[in-house]
């Protein structure tokens, strides 16, 4: 079943049409890369997939139920409970330490302190950050910050992880580490959509959607037959 499906999405910003009749289906278990040149509409599409922005026209289905995007409270709840986000810039909260940043989305959802901490510690260990839990954000490296951001995105067990150039600020070693983490997260059942302009990274996913001038121009499956 498609977890998320866009049907004939159009997005206008002023007099410019930045998405032109885009239809895309995100199947459960997919690890999809969205590629294309700068300005082709990748981020705009990801924001609509992530229910962070509304299209000018077109329909969005979650588990094959059409969403009423005017129900903003319901949409926020669905977004907070079912989707996780990782951006090029990590957006961690500098006033909170590492573990507190990972706990924050759980606390917001009403999870008790101990449970949130246990979950955060487990995620940080899984992402190779054991021992760094109490560091301030400015006391860890860029690669570590991005791993904390991934831990935070995973804290509420999202069904879909949406990433926009998640390795854009990282060197090749940290990029490799983050890609291995994504593959592991995907193997364990989380569906991933990743915007990247790096074709070598796109090759590590299960499918590549290519965009040009606000349109999807190709889809290539990379899943090997058993
Ligand atoms: N809020 C906005 N206001 C004006 N133009 C925008 C806005 N968001 C995106 N655009 C334009 O839409 C096009 C697609 O942008 P974007 O989705 O960011 O592309 P990509 O992520 O592929 O680089 C670009 O021409 C960009 O200038
Ligand atoms: Mg972009």
């Amino acid at each position: 079943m498609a977890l998320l499906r866009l049907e004939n999405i159009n997005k206008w910003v002023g007099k410019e049409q930045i998405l032109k009749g885009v239809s895309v289906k995100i199947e459960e278990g997919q690890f999809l890369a969205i590629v294309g040149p700068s300005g082709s509409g990748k981020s705009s599409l990801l924001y609509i997939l992530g229910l962070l922005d509304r299209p000018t026209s077109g329909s969005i289905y979650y588990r094959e139920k059409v969403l009423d995007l005017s129900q903003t409270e319901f949409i926020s709840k669905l977004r907070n409970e079912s989707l996780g986000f990782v951006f090029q810039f990590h957006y961690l909260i500098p006033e909170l330490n590492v573990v507190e940043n990972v706990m924050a989305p759980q606390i917001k959802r009403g999870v008790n302190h101990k449970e949130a901490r246990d979950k955060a510690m487990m995620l940080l260990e899984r992402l190779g950050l054991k021992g760094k839990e109490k560091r301030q954000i400015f006391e860890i490296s860029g690669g570590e910050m991005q791993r904390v951001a991934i831990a935070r995105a995973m804290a509420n067990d999202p069904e879909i992880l949406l990433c926009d150039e998640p390795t854009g600020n990282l060197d090749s070693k940290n990029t490799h580490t983050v890609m291995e983490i994504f593959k592991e997260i995907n193997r364990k059942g989380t569906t991933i959509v990743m915007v990247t302009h790096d074709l070598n990274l796109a090759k590590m996913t299960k499918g590549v959607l290519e965009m040009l001038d606000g349109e999807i121009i190709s889809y290539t499956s990379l899943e090997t037959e058993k």
Side-chain angles (χ1 to χ4, degrees):
M1 178 169 60
L3 263 182
L4 194 53
R5 187 159 69 81
L6 303 188
E7 200 176 81
N8 198 20
I9 295 292
N10 294 294
K11 174 78 184 176
W12 289 81
V13 178
K15 285 182 180 169
E16 193 190 358
Q17 186 172 12
I18 62 178
L19 293 174
K20 301 169 185 166
V22 170
S23 296
V24 50
K25 208 193 269 189
I26 314 293
E27 300 281 354
E28 209 160 359
Q30 172 66 289
F31 185 177
L32 181 72
I34 300 176
V35 304
S38 179
S40 57
K42 305 183 296 297
S43 295
S44 304
L45 177 59
L46 195 81
Y47 272 68
I48 288 173
L49 279 169
L51 311 176
L52 291 163
D53 188 21
R54 286 166 68 162
T56 308
S57 66
S59 306
I60 306 179
Y61 298 80
Y62 199 84
R63 294 191 173 277
E64 292 302 345
K65 285 206 186 86
V66 73
L67 298 179
D68 178 355
L69 299 175
S70 67
Q71 293 191 338
T72 49
E73 234 168 86
F74 173 79
I75 295 295
S76 302
K77 191 165 181 289
L78 178 64
R79 185 175 58 233
N80 291 334
E81 290 180 357
S82 305
L83 307 177
F85 297 92
V86 179
F87 299 102
Q88 180 169 356
F89 182 69
H90 56 71
Y91 298 111
L92 295 169
I93 303 168
E95 289 80 14
L96 301 179
N97 69 22
V98 165
V99 68
E100 287 164 348
N101 265 279
V102 183
M103 288 167 69
Q106 301 176 81
I107 302 285
K108 194 175 164 205
R109 194 164 53 97
V111 174
N112 75 52
H113 207 79
K114 183 179 182 311
E115 200 180 312
R117 180 173 292 269
D118 288 351
K119 178 75 169 289
M121 296 298 263
M122 184 274 287
L123 282 166
L124 288 169
E125 180 168 2
R126 202 169 128 197
L127 296 182
L129 291 162
K130 200 173 157 71
K132 309 255 162 114
E133 299 88 352
K134 295 212 170 128
R135 295 265 184 105
Q136 295 302 309
I137 298 308
F138 58 82
E139 292 174 327
I140 59 175
S141 71
E144 288 168 342
M145 287 179 197
Q146 203 58 326
R147 277 184 278 150
V148 176
I150 295 168
R152 182 185 54 179
M154 293 302 292
N156 284 339
D157 296 311
E159 294 194 288
I160 312 179
L161 190 62
L162 296 143
C163 317
D164 195 354
E165 306 277 2
T167 61
N169 282 327
L170 302 180
D171 60 21
S172 65
K173 184 166 175 287
N174 279 300
T175 295
H176 184 76
T177 305
V178 165
M179 287 305 294
E180 287 304 320
I181 289 167
F182 284 152
K183 283 205 276 184
E184 171 75 10
I185 287 171
N186 179 246
R187 257 198 304 275
K188 291 213 165 120
T190 308
T191 302
I192 302 181
V193 180
M194 179 183 75
V195 163
T196 179
H197 61 264
D198 187 336
L199 288 178
N200 287 318
L201 298 187
K203 279 184 199 152
M204 297 170 77
T205 67
K206 290 179 177 170
V208 183
L209 205 66
E210 191 184 357
M211 293 194 72
L212 186 67
D213 292 336
E215 290 181 274
I216 293 172
I217 55 167
S218 73
Y219 173 72
T220 311
S221 172
L222 301 176
E223 288 194 88
T224 46
E225 301 291 329
K226 282 213 181 107

